[in-house]
Amino acid sequence: MITVRVPAKVNVQLGVGGLRADGFHDLANVFFAVGLFDEVTATPAEGVMLSCTGPDAAAVPLDDSNLAARAARLLAAHHGLAEPGVHLHIAKAIPVAGGMAGGSADGAAALVACDALWGLATPFETLLELAAELGSDVPFALLGGVALGRGRGEILDALPVAGTFHWVFAVADGGLSTPAVFRECDRLREEAGTGSSEADVPTPDADPALLAALASGDPVALAAALTNDLQAPALSLRPSLADTLRAGTEAGAIGALVSGSGPTCAFLAKDAESAAAVAAALRASGTCRTAHATHGPVPGAEVSAPRP
Ligand code: ATP
C-alpha cells in the first residue's frame, strides 16, 4: 500500500491573455502550493478501481473521467503495461470545483502512487511530461513550492521564496466550472469593448513586484501584489463572493482574492495567529461553508511515511 499526500494551489497571480485560436488562453500563472491536502492511497487490485471519502466525495466522478484513474492508465500505457491493476482511494480535503486544482492534485498523486506501487522508477522529468498530458495544472501539483506557469500553465519554472506565508481559505457551497469562468472573462471583455482575442489582449507577464515580495518573504508586499484576472468573472457568476471577500478583510486579512476560477476565496494573513482569527471570523460570518487556516509553500506530491 502506497499513500501519497498532495497539496492544493492558490494562484497569487493569474494573468489571462486573449482567447487563442485553439480555444485556450495564454496565462501568466504564479502557482503557490498550500497546506490543504488530498491523500491518494494505491493498493494492488484487478483493473483500475476508485473510491473517495470526504465532505465533497459525492461530487467526485468515480468513472474513467477521474483524473486519478486517467493518470494510472497513462502511466501504465507509457510503460507498456497491458492490464494495469490498482485500487486508488482518494481521501478528499481539497474543495471540488473550488479553484484549487483538486482534481489535478489527485492526478499527480496517482502518478506518484502507481509509479511506486508498480516499481517503475519513472524519472521525474517523464512524470512531469505525463502530468502535462493530463492537464495544465497537473505538473505543478508534482512540483509544489511556488512556480511560474506559462503557456496554458504547463511550462513551469520554480520561483525563489523566503519563509512561510499564512493563508486562510473560505470554502463555498457548490463549485464553479473553470471553462464557464473563462467564457465569462471573454464575455466581460467583449462587453467592455476591449475585445477578447489574442490580438486584443496583451500577453500577460509575471509581475516583478510580486516576484520580489515572494523572494523577500514580505506578506504585506505580497498582499498588495495579489491579482487574478478570473476574479471579476467569478464574481459576475457568483456575486455573493464579494461578501466573503469583505468578511475576511474586515476580520483582519491583509490580502484577499478569489482562488483561481473560484469559488474558494483566499486570504493572506500577517501571521499564524491572525490567520486563525480570520478563519474563525469567516466561519461565524455565514458567508462561506467553512474556512481553513494554513500556510505555504509546501512540497508537491510525495509518498507519506507508513502510519505505525
Ligand atoms: P482548477 O482549479 O484546476 O480549474 P478546480 O479546483 O476548480 O480546478 P477540480 O476539483 O479539479 O476543480 O474539479 C473540476 C471537475 O473535474 C469536477 O467537477 C469533476 O467533475 C472533475 N474531476 C475529475 N477528477 C476529479 C478528482 N479526482 N477530484 C475532483 N474532481 C474531479
Side-chain angles (χ1 to χ4, degrees):
M1 175 191 286
I2 305 286
T3 294
V4 172
R5 197 174 83 142
V6 64
K9 60 85 184 161
V10 58
N11 308 81
V12 287
Q13 181 185 350
L14 184 44
V16 179
L19 182 63
R20 306 191 316 205
D22 64 3
F24 289 99
H25 297 77
D26 268 323
L27 304 176
N29 195 345
V30 181
F31 293 103
F32 190 118
V34 293
L36 195 58
F37 300 98
D38 280 357
E39 278 189 348
V40 175
T41 299
T43 45
E46 302 253 321
V48 176
M49 293 164 59
L50 285 176
S51 55
C52 183
T53 49
D56 285 352
V60 175
L62 294 180
D63 57 16
D64 281 352
S65 71
N66 191 299
L67 272 161
R70 289 180 46 210
R73 290 190 197 283
L74 184 67
L75 182 71
H78 176 80
H79 288 279
L81 305 179
E83 288 182 19
V86 65
H87 174 206
L88 294 166
H89 178 75
I90 304 168
K92 196 143 199 58
I94 304 174
V96 174
M100 300 195 77
S104 301
D106 299 343
L111 283 176
V112 173
C114 291
D115 187 60
L117 185 73
W118 296 335
L120 298 169
T122 310
F124 189 67
E125 281 304 312
T126 307
L127 288 180
L128 281 173
E129 284 166 22
L130 295 173
E133 276 185 54
L134 288 168
S136 316
D137 288 353
V138 185
F140 177 71
L142 282 178
L143 198 64
V146 180
L148 173 62
R150 277 177 285 225
R152 288 183 287 121
E154 81 291 7
I155 308 159
L156 283 179
D157 287 307
L159 290 172
V161 187
T164 292
F165 293 88
H166 297 277
W167 290 96
V168 178
F169 294 95
V171 180
D173 271 319
L176 271 177
S177 146
T178 304
V181 176
F182 274 101
R183 281 197 299 276
E184 182 68 359
C185 178
D186 296 336
R187 194 191 69 76
L188 289 175
R189 285 172 172 173
E190 289 297 332
E191 195 178 76
T194 50
S196 62
S197 76
E198 243 179 319
D200 304 317
V201 184
T203 303
D205 221 340
D207 171 10
L210 179 105
L211 301 186
L214 290 166
S216 65
D218 179 347
V220 175
L222 181 60
L226 295 171
T227 53
N228 178 3
D229 287 349
L230 293 181
Q231 178 156 318
L235 282 165
S236 168
L237 295 174
R238 189 75 71 84
S240 63
L241 294 180
D243 299 332
T244 318
L245 293 172
R246 196 176 315 111
T249 307
E250 282 173 6
I254 55 175
L257 86 172
V258 169
S259 178
S261 55
T264 307
C265 292
F267 301 90
L268 200 53
K270 66 178 192 309
D271 53 30
E273 200 182 329
S274 168
V278 170
L282 279 162
R283 283 192 290 268
S285 72
T287 63
C288 57
R289 170 156 54 104
T290 188
H292 305 288
T294 182
H295 63 274
V298 297
E302 55 187 11
V303 175
S304 312
R307 291 213 175 90

